[in-house]
Amino acid sequence: MESGIRQVDFSRKLFGDNFAWGVSTAAFQIEGACDADGKGLSIWDVFTGKKGKIANGETAEIACDFYNNYKRDIDLIRELNIPNFRFSISWTRIIPNGTGAVNQAGIDYYNNVIAYSLENGIEPWITLYHWDLPHELELKGGWTNRNIIGWFSDFVAVCAKAFGDRVKHWMVMNEPGVFTGAGYFLGNHAPGRIGLKNFLPAIHHVTLSIAEGAKKLRGILPDAIIGTTFSCSYIEPYSTKQRDVAAANRADALLNRLFIEPLLGCGYPVKDVPALKGIEKYFLTGDPHNLTFDFDFIGIQNYTREIVKYSFFTPYINARLVKAEDRAVPLTEMKWEVYSPAIYNVIKKFSAYAGVKNIIVTENGAAFPDVVVNGEVDDPLRVGYLQNHIEQVLKAKNDGCKVNGYFVWTLTDNFEWAEGYRPRFGLVHVDFETQRRIIKSSGRWFASFLKR
Ligand code: BGC
């Protein structure tokens, strides 16, 4: 047995033959080649060029160089025995200005990625939107402009027609809560907008676009398996005091319920977060229905637990997260608490919605400060993290939850948004100077776990 790898007393078999095992990535975090072959600029290309936005001024101009060397990394997926590969489509490779002319080179590139995956017995799962909005559309208001529903739906149609004959599984968007919250309220992600005046219309137009994009897919590809993914936090109150419990409830509404509930036909959780009331201003006739779609699955993405406390000084929500650093708990490189029962609890929570038919864990993983020693990367903390979380997924499944898949975030170390390259989440280590890859102990463990 290799160092850092312990024997676990559960095996892949216990999850059943139809359980989908995979690895997840996102275009902007791995591809690089930001202006190759006719690609237009995205809001992340522009944001990373601004001073002070990204740790150490890093950019994703090269990232993992996946665009030029996708075969190298798909070979690694095969070597790790991973049967499903989730990746996202960069909108500006397909439609450089966001609307209008289609760029055949972009279509060719994703066709090559799909073909090479299939040749290697790997099933491609597509995320249509993982945060890299066309910059040209941001100039027109981005997600705050209601016309984006049509622009997005046209992009979805192009992808469905181009790739739908070979791709069965589709996810419309990745974590709307994060890209609207960080990008349109806090301003620490692209496009860097702040305040409720941006956040509220963005929430509504994103939710309408998720439903509309899914309907567009269904219209073109009646047999597609259609989902969308959500960031899911397991939230606990700081104490049993009524005001902390109520604060945790408000945080839960904002972080966990904001997007899924309107999509399921339950409306926005305005009662629990009165600051959301202003969203009604953006409603047009028919919207409550336009917000809904009957998804084949939802993707849930969980990394940690949050402890929430009442806070007089936090505007709109009067609740704040108690930092994991201040709680004397084990931490990842992101300063997130390592707490595997979180994933069990979020699976239970989302499984309880009557409208949720199937759950796939579309992301789970951890960043730790890996080091290369004699050409090897031993990462026992990540091995333990994955083992414990997978065990919790099994527990949820055995409890009768509708969970039928688990995807690790992520294949290779990559560009971690505003944090740059420091946090390493990969099963495979990347030397960003040389692009050399080293499979970490965690990658080896996952490969041996998946081996039939
Ligand atoms: C996102 C990924 C990100 C990961 C780790 C998720 O929020 O979908 O793009 O890299 O978490 O932060």
Side-chain angles (χ1 to χ4, degrees):
M1 195 172 77
E2 304 189 42
S3 64
I5 302 185
R6 76 169 162 100
Q7 292 297 342
V8 286
D9 55 6
F10 58 93
S11 81
R12 174 181 178 168
K13 267 201 218 127
L14 297 176
F15 291 80
D17 284 344
N18 295 328
F19 195 90
W21 294 98
V23 72
S24 287
T25 63
F28 189 75
Q29 294 179 272
I30 61 170
E31 287 180 351
C34 67
D35 56 1
D37 303 328
K39 179 182 171 296
L41 288 184
S42 79
I43 53 172
W44 272 96
D45 293 317
V46 174
F47 192 73
T48 48
K50 291 187 182 161
K51 241 186 133 164
K53 301 293 183 193
I54 311 296
N56 305 314
E58 288 166 339
T59 73
E61 275 167 24
I62 299 175
C64 306
D65 201 27
F66 185 86
Y67 183 79
N68 294 308
N69 274 301
Y70 62 89
K71 289 189 178 172
R72 166 177 60 192
D73 288 340
I74 295 172
D75 286 344
L76 283 166
I77 299 177
R78 189 200 50 224
E79 203 177 322
L80 294 178
N81 304 321
I82 301 174
N84 297 290
F85 174 32
R86 171 179 174 232
F87 59 90
S88 77
I89 306 277
S90 155
W91 188 338
T92 56
R93 284 198 200 283
I94 305 288
I95 307 177
N97 290 326
T99 56
V102 171
N103 177 33
Q104 188 55 42
I107 305 250
D108 293 346
Y109 159 66
Y110 289 108
N111 270 331
N112 291 340
V113 170
I114 292 166
Y116 196 67
S117 299
L118 290 170
E119 263 168 51
N120 282 282
I122 298 161
E123 181 95 33
W125 292 46
I126 284 184
T127 310
L128 286 158
Y129 183 80
H130 200 127
W131 307 357
D132 44 357
L133 183 74
H135 175 62
E136 285 298 318
L137 299 185
E138 172 58 20
L139 295 177
K140 297 177 184 162
W143 291 108
T144 67
N145 183 339
R146 193 174 169 113
N147 291 331
I148 199 158
I149 304 164
W151 302 332
F152 181 66
S153 147
D154 290 347
F155 162 63
V156 172
V158 173
C159 294
K161 287 176 192 154
F163 313 126
D165 56 334
R166 285 145 298 147
V167 176
K168 276 194 257 164
H169 293 87
W170 297 79
M171 285 142 288
V172 182
M173 285 200 201
N174 182 71
E175 296 192 351
V178 176
F179 76 82
T180 57
Y184 284 80
F185 184 68
L186 299 172
N188 55 348
H189 273 194
R193 294 188 187 218
I194 50 172
L196 274 190
K197 66 175 193 306
N198 290 308
F199 188 43
L200 295 181
I203 293 170
H204 191 49
H205 302 145
V206 163
T207 318
L208 286 165
S209 298
I210 295 175
E212 181 59 29
K215 285 169 196 159
K216 186 59 99 182
L217 273 176
R218 177 69 78 229
I220 298 171
L221 304 170
D223 299 327
I225 301 170
I226 303 173
T228 197
T229 81
F230 303 99
S231 48
C232 308
S233 307
Y234 174 52
I235 293 178
E236 287 190 319
Y238 178 71
S239 77
T240 52
K241 280 191 200 135
Q242 171 49 27
R243 60 185 201 167
D244 286 337
V245 173
N249 192 39
R250 287 192 295 278
D252 179 56
L254 192 63
L255 298 177
N256 290 322
R257 298 168 44 207
L258 180 56
F259 290 91
I260 190 162
E261 293 198 355
L263 287 162
L264 291 175
C266 315
Y268 294 108
V270 175
K271 215 160 59 76
D272 292 286
V273 188
L276 292 173
K277 195 148 176 47
I279 215 167
E280 285 160 11
K281 195 165 98 196
Y282 302 97
F283 266 70
L284 298 184
T285 321
D287 275 5
H289 172 72
N290 295 336
L291 284 168
T292 63
F293 185 76
D294 184 18
F295 283 99
D296 299 313
F297 72 96
I298 61 157
I300 71 168
Q301 316 198 150
N302 170 262
Y303 290 86
T304 190
R305 150 174 88 162
E306 302 292 358
I307 302 292
V308 175
K309 195 176 179 178
Y310 172 80
S311 156
F312 177 76
F313 296 104
T314 315
Y316 307 123
I317 171 153
N318 293 126
R320 70 171 179 86
L321 305 181
V322 182
K323 285 188 187 159
E325 290 160 271
D326 301 334
R327 292 193 266 121
V329 291
L331 298 178
T332 70
E333 179 79 359
M334 298 292 280
K335 301 202 162 47
W336 297 342
E337 180 185 4
V338 177
Y339 184 73
S340 59
I343 201 162
Y344 168 81
N345 283 292
V346 297
I347 294 170
K348 283 221 112 165
K349 180 182 172 69
F350 283 82
S351 203
Y353 284 109
V356 168
K357 296 195 240 171
N358 187 18
I359 292 175
I360 306 288
V361 175
T362 37
E363 286 183 24
N364 173 245
F368 290 111
D370 302 319
V371 279
V372 182
V373 179
N374 300 328
E376 301 210 340
V377 178
D378 193 18
D379 56 341
L381 293 175
R382 188 175 292 99
V383 176
Y385 182 100
L386 296 177
Q387 290 177 334
N388 293 337
H389 282 75
I390 291 173
E391 204 166 10
Q392 292 286 330
V393 174
L394 181 61
K395 185 175 166 213
K397 189 167 172 56
N398 289 340
D399 278 6
C401 292
K402 316 161 199 168
V403 58
N404 290 297
Y406 175 92
F407 285 56
V408 174
W409 183 267
T410 179
L411 178 65
T412 57
D413 296 335
N414 64 28
F415 182 77
E416 178 55 29
W417 308 111
E419 308 287 330
Y421 293 98
R422 182 188 44 84
R424 293 177 172 274
F425 276 89
L427 295 171
V428 176
H429 183 273
V430 175
D431 177 330
F432 290 102
E433 296 293 312
T434 61
Q435 291 295 336
R436 181 170 175 231
R437 269 75 172 141
I438 301 171
I439 297 178
K440 303 179 192 176
S441 304
S442 55
R444 294 229 178 80
W445 173 74
F446 197 46
S448 65
F449 173 78
L450 293 178
K451 199 166 180 168
R452 285 187 188 271

